[in-house]
Amino acid sequence: MPSSISLFIPGPINVSKKTRDAFSRPMIGHRGNDFKKLYASCQPRLQKLFGTQSPVYLSTSSAWGVMEGTLRNLVQGKVLNCMNGAFSDKWFDVSERAGFQAEKLQVPWGNPILPELLATRLKQGDIDLVTLIHNETSTGVLSPLQELAEVMKQFPDVFFVVDTVSSFSTVPISMDDLGIDVMITGSQKALALPPGMAFFSLSDKAMQRASKIKGRGYYFDFLEFYKNHQAQMTPSTPSIGHLYALESKLDDIFQEGLEHRYARHASTNRLVHDWVHKHGFEFFAPEGYRSLSLTCVKNNKGIDVAAWIERLKAKYSCIIDGGYGKIKGETFRISNMGDETEESISQLLYWLEDCFS
Ligand SMILES: *Cc1c(COP(=O)(O)O)cnc(C)c1O
């Protein structure tokens, strides 16, 4: 068994012992009453976290499965992919690979997607569906979802698909109020569950569109999810361990209280920001658009990030991330998602300092 390394990378993140114990409970049949009870017990709390009256569906896949599946369920015309980092850029690639006509709404990595840019493009017409990544995990940029949603409301025929994988439950996001048609999150980032499950919810508009689309396939067919949801089940055999872990995690989240959870993420994030200032580093994201669940730090001091993380791992059995894709080494990322506290983040920041040389 590998020695246990604490993960302060932005996903997968540390999974608590309580969650891991829940995850490894004995199996039950996925068509029986125990399963249905388990499924149903998670629904109201998931709906609260999504800010929706609609069902929240459970997909045994990582988030990308649903991100791709959404296109296959909904797209009838041209996709507009808002792009400002590795995950959002990839969504354009996925749109094209799935055979859809796609257009880039690209800004440089590190920048947010701004409402004026989106409005200008949508006014030109010819867009069927917009994809947005709320919190670009690769760059630590939080785009202004509320303002972008206001723009989308002026184009009620255009579908609004939002990935909240690394922001979900760390800041309030109300799907119904924002008019989001498809909201997607994953298990291993903000929710601090093991990797392997994705959660999503659909507007009525999305459901209606899906019913008219041919070639939805089976595994990610929205209508199958809906039909099975009526009986508190999933279309195919789900990762049952994930449901146990989810139920346990929802207990934690609502025991803490949402306001406390948001405040905890804000305060642990602030500790990281103070540390960045204190050591003369800069942020990769501009002020006002910085993620609250992770921090992407510009390596303006030119430290050897890889060697630093090796020392951290050797001495303190934990890791941060040395930068994603084309900004590897030029940046590093520190996650404060999940169960982290002021104590655990302060401890990490001390370890980071101690390992500078
Ligand atoms: C991690 C991540 C994904 C992809 O998640 P997978 O679990 O690898 O499918 C998508 N979007 C964002 C914003 C992410 O951080």
Side-chain angles (χ1 to χ4, degrees):
M1 202 168 123
S3 62
S4 146
I5 301 288
S6 263
L7 303 178
F8 293 93
I9 55 174
I13 62 166
N14 292 324
V15 175
S16 71
K17 170 92 169 46
K18 173 174 181 280
T19 303
R20 282 182 283 124
D21 286 348
F23 189 80
S24 59
R25 271 180 218 151
M27 285 303 113
I28 49 174
H30 68 296
R31 300 296 181 215
N33 278 331
D34 287 344
F35 180 86
K36 293 180 183 193
K37 258 190 244 155
L38 177 61
Y39 182 101
S41 82
C42 295
Q43 275 300 313
R45 292 177 293 176
L46 282 173
Q47 286 173 306
K48 183 123 196 350
L49 288 175
F50 271 77
T52 187
Q53 306 281 328
S54 301
V56 176
Y57 302 106
L58 278 54
S59 170
T60 298
S61 67
S62 80
W64 273 119
V66 180
M67 290 160 80
E68 177 175 333
T70 295
L71 303 175
R72 295 187 188 278
N73 272 272
L74 297 184
V75 177
Q76 231 167 25
K78 194 191 269 183
V79 177
L80 183 69
N81 299 112
C82 299
M83 297 159 68
N84 64 336
F87 293 102
S88 47
D89 287 11
K90 181 87 189 162
W91 218 343
F92 171 78
D93 178 39
V94 170
S95 308
E96 288 204 316
R97 287 193 201 198
F100 297 108
Q101 210 194 340
E103 186 178 312
K104 299 178 176 185
L105 192 73
Q106 177 95 61
V107 299
W109 281 30
N111 291 18
I113 302 295
L114 292 178
E116 303 76 43
L117 182 74
L118 180 63
T120 303
R121 177 58 193 89
L122 289 179
K123 276 180 198 143
Q124 293 164 16
D126 185 33
I127 296 298
D128 187 41
L129 179 146
V130 170
T131 71
L132 174 78
I133 301 230
H134 181 213
N135 194 50
E136 232 317 335
T137 318
S138 62
T139 59
V141 170
L142 191 66
S143 285
L145 183 56
Q146 176 80 43
E147 287 89 334
L148 291 163
E150 293 306 321
V151 170
M152 291 303 302
K153 283 179 184 169
Q154 296 164 35
F155 302 91
D157 295 338
V158 183
F159 286 83
F160 188 29
V161 180
V162 184
D163 162 325
T164 65
V165 171
S166 60
S167 53
F168 185 78
S169 83
T170 70
V171 291
I173 306 170
S174 180
M175 173 177 148
D176 289 355
D177 293 343
L178 294 167
I180 295 171
D181 291 301
V182 185
M183 180 164 149
I184 305 163
T185 192
S187 56
Q188 81 277 22
K189 306 261 174 96
L191 278 172
L193 297 173
M197 187 165 271
F199 309 93
F200 65 103
S201 186
L202 305 170
S203 68
D204 292 344
K205 183 174 116 190
M207 216 56 226
Q208 278 158 23
R209 166 64 76 84
S211 69
K212 295 189 202 105
I213 297 278
K214 289 207 172 67
R216 299 187 303 272
Y218 169 68
Y219 197 73
F220 294 108
D221 180 2
F222 288 171
L223 273 66
E224 284 290 342
F225 276 95
Y226 177 75
K227 196 176 79 189
N228 280 278
H229 171 83
Q230 302 306 308
Q232 318 289 1
M233 295 189 297
T234 54
S236 47
T237 318
S239 169
I240 291 163
H242 271 95
L243 268 94
Y244 283 130
L246 173 68
E247 185 189 45
S248 162
K249 177 49 72 183
L250 290 169
D251 288 346
D252 299 346
I253 291 175
F254 285 90
Q255 203 154 28
E256 177 179 22
L258 289 186
E259 291 311 319
H260 282 116
R261 182 173 171 86
Y262 302 143
R264 178 167 58 77
H265 281 86
S267 70
T268 50
N269 189 254
R270 203 173 313 117
L271 286 175
V272 179
H273 282 219
D274 291 347
W275 182 92
V276 168
H277 286 299
K278 177 176 152 198
H279 290 282
F281 285 111
E282 291 163 14
F283 296 93
F284 195 64
E287 180 143 30
Y289 301 102
R290 291 178 191 146
S291 167
L292 287 161
S293 56
L294 71 124
T295 307
C296 186
V297 185
K298 207 187 272 179
N299 182 15
N300 51 295
K301 293 167 65 169
I303 61 170
D304 183 341
V305 170
W308 178 42
I309 295 173
E310 273 312 310
R311 287 195 291 275
L312 184 69
K313 189 175 172 190
K315 191 163 178 190
Y316 293 113
S317 297
C318 74
I319 52 168
I320 60 164
D321 173 84
Y324 196 105
K326 67 183 183 191
I327 52 174
K328 194 179 179 76
E330 292 167 36
T331 57
F332 55 90
R333 297 178 302 161
I334 302 169
S335 166
N336 60 290
M337 286 179 229
D339 303 328
E340 301 310 331
T341 60
E342 293 195 12
E343 292 70 47
S344 69
I345 292 293
S346 300
Q347 178 71 268
L348 169 72
L349 295 172
Y350 166 74
W351 290 341
L352 285 172
E353 252 165 62
D354 187 55
C355 288
F356 273 142
S357 58

